[in-house]
Amino acid sequence: MTTARKPRAHRQAVTVTDIAKGCGVSRATVSLVLRGSPLVHADTRARVEAELKRQRYVYNRAAANLRRRTSSSIALVINDLSNPFFAEFAAGVDEALGGEGYVTLLGSTGESPERQQAVLGSLVEHAPAGMILSPAEHSDGLALRRQVGAGVPVLVFNRELSGADWDFLALDNQRGARLATEHLLSLGHRRIAFFGGHADSSSCQQRRAGHAEAMRAAGLEADPDWLVECSPTRAEAAGRTGELFERAPGATAAVCYNDNVALGLMLGLGARGVRPGAEFALTGFDDITEAALSTPPLTTLAVQPRECGRHAAQLLLDRVREPDAPVKRVVAPVRLVVRGSSGAQVP
Amino acid sequence: MTTARKPRAHRQAVTVTDIAKGCGVSRATVSLVLRGSPLVHADTRARVEAELKRQRYVYNRAAANLRRRTSSSIALVINDLSNPFFAEFAAGVDEALGGEGYVTLLGSTGESPERQQAVLGSLVEHAPAGMILSPAEHSDGLALRRQVGAGVPVLVFNRELSGADWDFLALDNQRGARLATEHLLSLGHRRIAFFGGHADSSSCQQRRAGHAEAMRAAGLEADPDWLVECSPTRAEAAGRTGELFERAPGATAAVCYNDNVALGLMLGLGARGVRPGAEFALTGFDDITEAALSTPPLTTLAVQPRECGRHAAQLLLDRVREPDAPVKRVVAPVRLVVRGSSGAQVP
DNA sequence: CTGAAAGCGCTTACAG
DNA sequence: CTGAAAGCGCTTACAG
């Protein structure tokens, strides 16, 4: 605990005692009515319910949680809420939790491990039943584990976290890249490069693995020269277009690390007089809004962040209900969206 | 209260009693140390603090709030979290609240008044100290007022809500449109249309008012024919380009309702062989990501949703601290961002 | 089927 | 400066 707030009394709430007095029963009976117990007589129940309505009673869940030693909140810690992917994810989480009677405690870290520590410290004091954590970059898994404690189940999302044996949910990167590669293969392409991403990131490794898997299955050898690294930004990708063709001469298609890289590559191709989608096929990953609006529109993998969020909520609640179940590692489905950018003729 | 959750005991927490026993003081003393009271002797404090660390004590804020009749949470109800504007806004709110020692209770309504009712019902049971509400479309202000109750201060964001005397924060729509119009005037334009939006929306009315204000100040009469309605989508705006020129013949520039409308108008201009930015000047509103990336880049009004969120948090906390202050109506600043689209020559 | 009593983890006058 | 006692609003055995 760190902060000092001005102690501000909140509304003089009407309590079970007021209701009990108001209709001549005991507080216990009121509580039983509130919790929907079948033990109480229908007439009594009706009387109590009328009184609840009359006095505009509002349940104090915090008090109930304290007494019952339960929790009705889940902490959701997001590294970057301004990223539409995570915003959608958060919406999905909140939607699913709400449906199960939980409330979402939000915490955003802005990719700062220090802020993450502070946020977790504050959230833990509110005794959430569990936590969904999309870790900030360079998070220390062991430190997080220590701070959160053993009592709060955690689901880690999106980024691998070493040193903690928590449940883990991530995109199905490998399958996504495999689907994209298979799609290009089915159109007749054989010389398919993998363009973009950093080889030391787990998501890039997984996407490369999917590409390699599909190539191998088609009886093609994946040449390591055909894996071109670059930062996942448009400008960087545009600038590396030349390198792609030097290292992968004769390539007729590329599976790109993500949409930004693909859109950058389109710019680079255009600058070299190569018409993307007509003379060179390419695919992205993420299905960002602009993917559908580019010229040509981009074939990509829709990652359905909202569904992902719902899925995460469900996984965490499973864990909350069954704390001793074995640790889970789950991949979220991705879906290939075919658009114009992959329509290039094979020479 | 509606839902039934499986009662799940959470961790066997270490409490002030454990700490008190552990170092031979009373629970009261531990509490005083926790709350940073100057009453306790430095030696005692040190002993207690060591014991807190040793036993990895975590403060139970819910219990403290119950006893003190305070609250350390603020409810944030967002109509559409998947809209980047609101996501950024939420990030700003959470950031500011965190800094003040509050935790954010998230609720998203997806623009559904029914879901909004359910969400509010659930949030209110968690006894937030206040609420920031971006209402769903067609919300009933009086019904909301009744549901939330008089005890919880509410700040309404973005959309006017009739029937409730709550604090209100919205974008400075009028000033934004005025700045855009003044910018076009300063470049020599005199025949400036207002394009897009629905006349019955309060934000459109305000933006039109800003346009009219600037025109009037420049000694120009705003012809009602030069106000062209259309839905704020790209496709719709592109399709209405012809109408704009029929109704506003000789217009050399347009202030658009928002960026989507402006981007659509660019498409429509292109289709008619008019080069936007070179032969016709236009401005947007919002500064969405694509505004900087279009050809030409779009002159627009940056609305700074994150700052807006911080501002909202501050306003609400002011209200929480001073419940009886007069109701406030505040506009959030907007900033003109000049880019290529407004660079057209005046004939 | 209903009520009296104890207790969740904390804080706060009130004595000493 | 420290401790004993009461109480925040709720729930849950336990009697009846």
Side-chain angles (χ1 to χ4, degrees), chain B residues 313-326:
Chain B
Q314 204 48 63
L315 283 170
L316 179 61
L317 292 181
D318 289 349
R319 164 69 55 203
V320 166
R321 283 158 191 156
E322 216 167 329
D324 299 321

PDB file of all heavy atoms in Angstrom, chain B residues 313-326:
ATOM      1  N   ALA B 313     -10.668  11.818 -15.753  1.00  0.00           N
ATOM      2  CA  ALA B 313     -10.370  11.255 -14.436  1.00  0.00           C
ATOM      3  C   ALA B 313     -10.236  12.376 -13.408  1.00  0.00           C
ATOM      4  O   ALA B 313     -10.772  12.299 -12.295  1.00  0.00           O
ATOM      5  CB  ALA B 313      -9.085  10.427 -14.501  1.00  0.00           C
ATOM      6  N   GLN B 314      -9.530  13.429 -13.810  1.00  0.00           N
ATOM      7  CA  GLN B 314      -9.315  14.530 -12.877  1.00  0.00           C
ATOM      8  C   GLN B 314     -10.631  15.203 -12.505  1.00  0.00           C
ATOM      9  O   GLN B 314     -10.897  15.487 -11.326  1.00  0.00           O
ATOM     10  CB  GLN B 314      -8.348  15.545 -13.519  1.00  0.00           C
ATOM     11  CG  GLN B 314      -7.627  16.364 -12.496  1.00  0.00           C
ATOM     12  CD  GLN B 314      -7.042  15.495 -11.391  1.00  0.00           C
ATOM     13  OE1 GLN B 314      -6.180  14.662 -11.645  1.00  0.00           O
ATOM     14  NE2 GLN B 314      -7.540  15.636 -10.173  1.00  0.00           N
ATOM     15  N   LEU B 315     -11.456  15.424 -13.494  1.00  0.00           N
ATOM     16  CA  LEU B 315     -12.751  16.063 -13.237  1.00  0.00           C
ATOM     17  C   LEU B 315     -13.591  15.221 -12.280  1.00  0.00           C
ATOM     18  O   LEU B 315     -14.205  15.739 -11.342  1.00  0.00           O
ATOM     19  CB  LEU B 315     -13.514  16.236 -14.549  1.00  0.00           C
ATOM     20  CG  LEU B 315     -13.067  17.384 -15.443  1.00  0.00           C
ATOM     21  CD1 LEU B 315     -13.731  17.287 -16.806  1.00  0.00           C
ATOM     22  CD2 LEU B 315     -13.403  18.718 -14.778  1.00  0.00           C
ATOM     23  N   LEU B 316     -13.600  13.919 -12.521  1.00  0.00           N
ATOM     24  CA  LEU B 316     -14.416  13.059 -11.663  1.00  0.00           C
ATOM     25  C   LEU B 316     -13.880  13.060 -10.239  1.00  0.00           C
ATOM     26  O   LEU B 316     -14.643  13.145  -9.267  1.00  0.00           O
ATOM     27  CB  LEU B 316     -14.463  11.631 -12.202  1.00  0.00           C
ATOM     28  CG  LEU B 316     -15.289  10.708 -11.319  1.00  0.00           C
ATOM     29  CD1 LEU B 316     -16.730  11.170 -11.237  1.00  0.00           C
ATOM     30  CD2 LEU B 316     -15.217   9.275 -11.796  1.00  0.00           C
ATOM     31  N   LEU B 317     -12.563  12.984 -10.101  1.00  0.00           N
ATOM     32  CA  LEU B 317     -11.996  12.962  -8.753  1.00  0.00           C
ATOM     33  C   LEU B 317     -12.289  14.279  -8.027  1.00  0.00           C
ATOM     34  O   LEU B 317     -12.562  14.285  -6.821  1.00  0.00           O
ATOM     35  CB  LEU B 317     -10.497  12.681  -8.806  1.00  0.00           C
ATOM     36  CG  LEU B 317     -10.148  11.261  -9.277  1.00  0.00           C
ATOM     37  CD1 LEU B 317      -8.646  11.047  -9.270  1.00  0.00           C
ATOM     38  CD2 LEU B 317     -10.835  10.215  -8.415  1.00  0.00           C
ATOM     39  N   ASP B 318     -12.264  15.371  -8.755  1.00  0.00           N
ATOM     40  CA  ASP B 318     -12.654  16.650  -8.151  1.00  0.00           C
ATOM     41  C   ASP B 318     -14.066  16.545  -7.589  1.00  0.00           C
ATOM     42  O   ASP B 318     -14.332  16.956  -6.457  1.00  0.00           O
ATOM     43  CB  ASP B 318     -12.621  17.772  -9.194  1.00  0.00           C
ATOM     44  CG  ASP B 318     -11.200  18.134  -9.598  1.00  0.00           C
ATOM     45  OD1 ASP B 318     -10.264  17.661  -8.918  1.00  0.00           O
ATOM     46  OD2 ASP B 318     -11.023  18.860 -10.594  1.00  0.00           O
ATOM     47  N   ARG B 319     -14.934  15.996  -8.374  1.00  0.00           N
ATOM     48  CA  ARG B 319     -16.328  15.832  -7.958  1.00  0.00           C
ATOM     49  C   ARG B 319     -16.432  14.907  -6.737  1.00  0.00           C
ATOM     50  O   ARG B 319     -17.189  15.171  -5.797  1.00  0.00           O
ATOM     51  CB  ARG B 319     -17.140  15.280  -9.130  1.00  0.00           C
ATOM     52  CG  ARG B 319     -18.484  14.705  -8.792  1.00  0.00           C
ATOM     53  CD  ARG B 319     -19.462  15.756  -8.350  1.00  0.00           C
ATOM     54  NE  ARG B 319     -19.585  16.821  -9.329  1.00  0.00           N
ATOM     55  CZ  ARG B 319     -20.001  18.047  -9.051  1.00  0.00           C
ATOM     56  NH1 ARG B 319     -20.343  18.373  -7.808  1.00  0.00           N
ATOM     57  NH2 ARG B 319     -20.073  18.959  -9.994  1.00  0.00           N
ATOM     58  N   VAL B 320     -15.673  13.824  -6.754  1.00  0.00           N
ATOM     59  CA  VAL B 320     -15.698  12.884  -5.627  1.00  0.00           C
ATOM     60  C   VAL B 320     -15.293  13.602  -4.346  1.00  0.00           C
ATOM     61  O   VAL B 320     -15.874  13.392  -3.284  1.00  0.00           O
ATOM     62  CB  VAL B 320     -14.758  11.684  -5.900  1.00  0.00           C
ATOM     63  CG1 VAL B 320     -14.500  10.885  -4.641  1.00  0.00           C
ATOM     64  CG2 VAL B 320     -15.349  10.788  -6.986  1.00  0.00           C
ATOM     65  N   ARG B 321     -14.319  14.479  -4.491  1.00  0.00           N
ATOM     66  CA  ARG B 321     -13.820  15.185  -3.310  1.00  0.00           C
ATOM     67  C   ARG B 321     -14.724  16.329  -2.896  1.00  0.00           C
ATOM     68  O   ARG B 321     -14.728  16.726  -1.748  1.00  0.00           O
ATOM     69  CB  ARG B 321     -12.405  15.702  -3.593  1.00  0.00           C
ATOM     70  CG  ARG B 321     -11.382  14.598  -3.518  1.00  0.00           C
ATOM     71  CD  ARG B 321     -10.134  14.939  -4.279  1.00  0.00           C
ATOM     72  NE  ARG B 321      -9.274  13.763  -4.403  1.00  0.00           N
ATOM     73  CZ  ARG B 321      -8.370  13.603  -5.351  1.00  0.00           C
ATOM     74  NH1 ARG B 321      -8.203  14.535  -6.275  1.00  0.00           N
ATOM     75  NH2 ARG B 321      -7.624  12.514  -5.395  1.00  0.00           N
ATOM     76  N   GLU B 322     -15.452  16.841  -3.860  1.00  0.00           N
ATOM     77  CA  GLU B 322     -16.318  17.970  -3.540  1.00  0.00           C
ATOM     78  C   GLU B 322     -17.693  17.735  -4.174  1.00  0.00           C
ATOM     79  O   GLU B 322     -18.037  18.339  -5.195  1.00  0.00           O
ATOM     80  CB  GLU B 322     -15.704  19.265  -4.071  1.00  0.00           C
ATOM     81  CG  GLU B 322     -15.958  20.416  -3.134  1.00  0.00           C
ATOM     82  CD  GLU B 322     -15.081  21.607  -3.506  1.00  0.00           C
ATOM     83  OE1 GLU B 322     -13.953  21.412  -4.014  1.00  0.00           O
ATOM     84  OE2 GLU B 322     -15.519  22.737  -3.278  1.00  0.00           O
ATOM     85  N   PRO B 323     -18.480  16.880  -3.540  1.00  0.00           N
ATOM     86  CA  PRO B 323     -19.743  16.445  -4.147  1.00  0.00           C
ATOM     87  C   PRO B 323     -20.720  17.594  -4.387  1.00  0.00           C
ATOM     88  O   PRO B 323     -21.588  17.482  -5.254  1.00  0.00           O
ATOM     89  CB  PRO B 323     -20.314  15.478  -3.106  1.00  0.00           C
ATOM     90  CG  PRO B 323     -19.168  15.120  -2.226  1.00  0.00           C
ATOM     91  CD  PRO B 323     -18.243  16.286  -2.222  1.00  0.00           C
ATOM     92  N   ASP B 324     -20.566  18.659  -3.650  1.00  0.00           N
ATOM     93  CA  ASP B 324     -21.581  19.704  -3.731  1.00  0.00           C
ATOM     94  C   ASP B 324     -21.177  20.887  -4.613  1.00  0.00           C
ATOM     95  O   ASP B 324     -21.898  21.880  -4.696  1.00  0.00           O
ATOM     96  CB  ASP B 324     -21.928  20.196  -2.324  1.00  0.00           C
ATOM     97  CG  ASP B 324     -22.490  19.063  -1.496  1.00  0.00           C
ATOM     98  OD1 ASP B 324     -23.247  18.254  -2.060  1.00  0.00           O
ATOM     99  OD2 ASP B 324     -22.146  18.968  -0.304  1.00  0.00           O
ATOM    100  N   ALA B 325     -20.026  20.765  -5.276  1.00  0.00           N
ATOM    101  CA  ALA B 325     -19.628  21.824  -6.196  1.00  0.00           C
ATOM    102  C   ALA B 325     -20.647  21.904  -7.323  1.00  0.00           C
ATOM    103  O   ALA B 325     -21.330  20.926  -7.614  1.00  0.00           O
ATOM    104  CB  ALA B 325     -18.230  21.532  -6.744  1.00  0.00           C
ATOM    105  N   PRO B 326     -20.762  23.076  -7.954  1.00  0.00           N
ATOM    106  CA  PRO B 326     -21.729  23.196  -9.057  1.00  0.00           C
ATOM    107  C   PRO B 326     -21.376  22.270 -10.214  1.00  0.00           C
ATOM    108  O   PRO B 326     -20.207  21.942 -10.431  1.00  0.00           O
ATOM    109  CB  PRO B 326     -21.602  24.673  -9.470  1.00  0.00           C
ATOM    110  CG  PRO B 326     -20.360  25.181  -8.833  1.00  0.00           C
ATOM    111  CD  PRO B 326     -20.080  24.336  -7.648  1.00  0.00           C
TER     112      PRO B 326
END
